[in-house]
Amino acid sequence: MAEELDTSDIDRWVGVPLSQSGLVEPIQLNDIRRWAQAMHHPNPLYYNPEYAAASRFGQIVAPQSFTVVCEAGHGARPSTQGHIPESHMLFAGDEWWFFGPRIFPGDRVTIDQMVFDYRKTTTKFAGPTVVQRGDNHYVNQRGERIAIQRSSAIRYQPATARASAAFDERDEEIDWSDDDLARITKEKHEYVSSIIALGHDRRSWDSVQVGDELPAKVIGPHSVVSFTTEWRAYSMTGWNTAWRKQLADPGNSGWTAEMSVNEEHAGWDPEFADGAYYGAARGHLNAKYAKRIGMPRPYGYGASMGAWVLDYLSSWAGEWGYVHHTNTQYRGPALSGDVTYLRATVTDKSPDVDPAMGKIHLDYVMTNQRGEVQAKGSGEVLIPRD
């Protein structure tokens, strides 16, 4: 039996401010467009200037999911702080609290980070495992709180995950027929039509009833191409685009050598610290390294799955509403060749502290084409009461 993971180095970081981070330049309009493109999010509010000009914002605005782009590590750093020898990590979930301010082109966002807590457990996937949570506080240049993200990661030893072969039965990638692809395209069109139908109008409080089901959102089929597009839309993946101010010794997470950056070579070529070419993200795009960490083939990003949830709920709320809170647990990977379906149900309605807004409570689930759960959770969106 594999030994319990050594968490002694994590203990010294719990509750300790770690760093501040952000982007070197102000957020650009094309940063927002590129993000909508990468997240498979065809809401014209985020890329079409004519459509956005007629909105309540009068211009293109960033989707709420764009918040994570502003951080120099897509929110994962405080959930992987502390040394665990010969380890790797996967996203386990995200909890978000949003406070209302939106992100616009020209904004600057600063993020403060801290380890929140961790616990030890045993999983079918990797045996002895650490589930670690870390907080990211997002604030704009006006001092307005945008959001808090509590990111969760599972930290494990890849050798144990390879031995467990938990995902080996998923080794075959689907070769979708033309008829299948036509059906998927039809499902995508039905979803986008629901966004266009609401347009710039307010979603009516009275029209929402407990038990209502939101239109299903379809993403995929996923591929190395789509995963690469996602990765490159994270602004920190561009060379020299992010800054980080360490407020404490950053330590070393303990990644295996093959999933680590090459610090020596990175001094003369940043490709060697790029993450996708060399580093912890290379398993997302390369089947060889996916298998090294216990995955059967290339797989999607946990941070993107969290973004899909935020995009899904916020587009349903409409431009006069917004996502207030989500708590999402990631249960399985979005593998290359898979299709993802997002569905949600209204579970309750209640007043908000702001008398002009009402709170809609929802449960949501993300599944693949086989009905296997990729993520699930609950959240609240705020919409006007008049």
Side-chain angles (χ1 to χ4, degrees):
M1 178 178 292
E3 295 183 1
E4 185 177 88
L5 300 182
D6 180 2
T7 58
S8 57
D9 192 53
I10 303 176
D11 290 330
R12 68 190 181 102
W13 296 111
V14 176
V16 177
L18 296 178
S19 64
Q20 291 180 330
S21 68
L23 303 180
V24 173
E25 288 92 19
I27 292 161
Q28 303 298 311
L29 184 58
N30 274 351
D31 295 335
I32 296 171
R33 286 194 175 106
R34 188 174 294 109
W35 180 250
Q37 176 186 13
M39 293 301 110
H40 323 278
H41 191 34
N43 185 332
L45 182 62
Y46 308 125
Y47 62 86
N48 185 315
E50 290 79 15
Y51 183 90
S55 74
R56 65 172 297 201
F57 304 108
Q59 66 175 100
I60 289 175
V61 62
Q64 289 185 251
S65 67
F66 185 84
T67 308
V68 72
V69 175
C70 305
E71 203 278 310
H74 57 50
R77 289 181 184 271
S79 60
T80 59
Q81 180 75 14
H83 186 86
I84 298 178
E86 294 300 305
S87 64
H88 193 67
M89 68 80 70
L90 296 171
F91 268 94
D94 271 316
E95 188 167 10
W96 285 92
W97 294 266
F98 287 93
F99 304 104
R102 302 297 292 264
I103 297 175
F104 293 90
D107 280 355
R108 291 181 178 270
V109 179
T110 300
I111 302 91
D112 289 278
Q113 300 177 311
M114 184 174 65
V115 179
F116 182 73
D117 65 7
Y118 74 90
R119 62 182 174 87
K120 297 180 181 181
T121 187
T122 301
T123 63
K124 178 183 176 182
F125 168 65
T129 300
V130 171
V131 180
Q132 185 172 333
R133 297 191 293 176
D135 287 356
N136 301 275
H137 293 250
Y138 298 83
V139 178
N140 64 23
Q141 73 276 13
R142 293 177 293 276
E144 299 167 332
R145 281 199 308 172
I146 299 170
I148 297 173
Q149 175 195 19
R150 181 160 292 162
S151 178
S152 300
I154 63 168
R155 306 185 64 184
Y156 66 98
Q157 292 184 316
T160 308
R162 291 196 299 271
S164 74
F167 292 116
D168 273 10
E169 73 278 6
R170 302 190 191 184
D171 200 40
E172 291 299 320
E173 185 172 315
I174 294 176
D175 182 12
W176 294 94
S177 70
D178 290 343
D179 287 343
D180 287 331
L181 294 174
R183 172 182 53 80
I184 292 168
T185 298
K186 182 175 182 292
E187 292 170 335
K188 291 181 179 181
H189 182 255
E190 290 172 352
Y191 170 72
V192 177
S193 296
S194 71
I195 296 175
I196 302 303
L198 180 61
H200 302 305
D201 293 337
R202 299 168 187 254
R203 182 166 296 282
S204 166
W205 171 262
D206 291 334
S207 72
V208 179
Q209 304 299 326
V210 173
D212 285 354
E213 296 182 355
L214 277 58
K217 180 173 184 177
V218 188
I219 303 173
H222 305 294
S223 66
V224 171
V225 173
S226 68
F227 295 152
T228 304
T229 303
E230 291 172 29
W231 177 251
R232 289 306 175 198
Y234 285 93
S235 296
M236 85 288 181
T237 69
W239 297 348
N240 209 37
T241 58
W243 62 269
R244 179 171 295 279
K245 177 184 178 183
Q246 300 294 347
L247 304 182
D249 177 6
N252 183 317
S253 294
W255 305 145
T256 59
E258 60 194 355
M259 305 302 288
S260 298
V261 302
N262 188 318
E263 297 286 358
E264 179 182 357
H265 291 350
W268 53 266
D269 185 346
E271 179 175 306
F272 290 93
D274 179 86
Y277 295 130
Y278 292 86
R282 68 198 312 192
H284 290 286
L285 308 177
N286 186 310
K288 172 184 176 179
Y289 294 105
K291 292 178 183 295
R292 295 283 179 88
I293 61 168
M295 289 291 169
R297 59 182 185 272
Y299 63 103
Y301 302 90
S304 296
M305 293 171 74
W308 299 343
V309 169
L310 296 175
D311 290 341
Y312 180 52
L313 298 182
S314 60
S315 282
W316 178 82
E319 62 190 56
W320 294 90
Y322 67 94
V323 176
H324 173 62
H325 172 247
T326 59
N327 190 0
T328 309
Q329 301 84 47
Y330 306 143
R331 300 296 181 85
L335 298 172
S336 61
D338 283 356
V339 172
T340 292
Y341 291 86
L342 260 166
R343 298 179 174 88
T345 303
V346 176
T347 59
D348 199 5
K349 297 171 62 177
S350 65
D352 184 58
V353 292
D354 180 350
M357 304 293 284
K359 187 178 294 183
I360 306 295
H361 304 253
L362 304 109
D363 287 343
Y364 49 85
V365 62
M366 185 185 299
T367 60
N368 62 19
Q369 70 280 354
R370 293 182 292 272
E372 297 163 337
V373 175
Q374 296 172 326
K376 64 188 304 183
S378 60
E380 300 89 43
V381 302
L382 300 184
I383 62 173
R385 297 197 69 178
D386 56 9

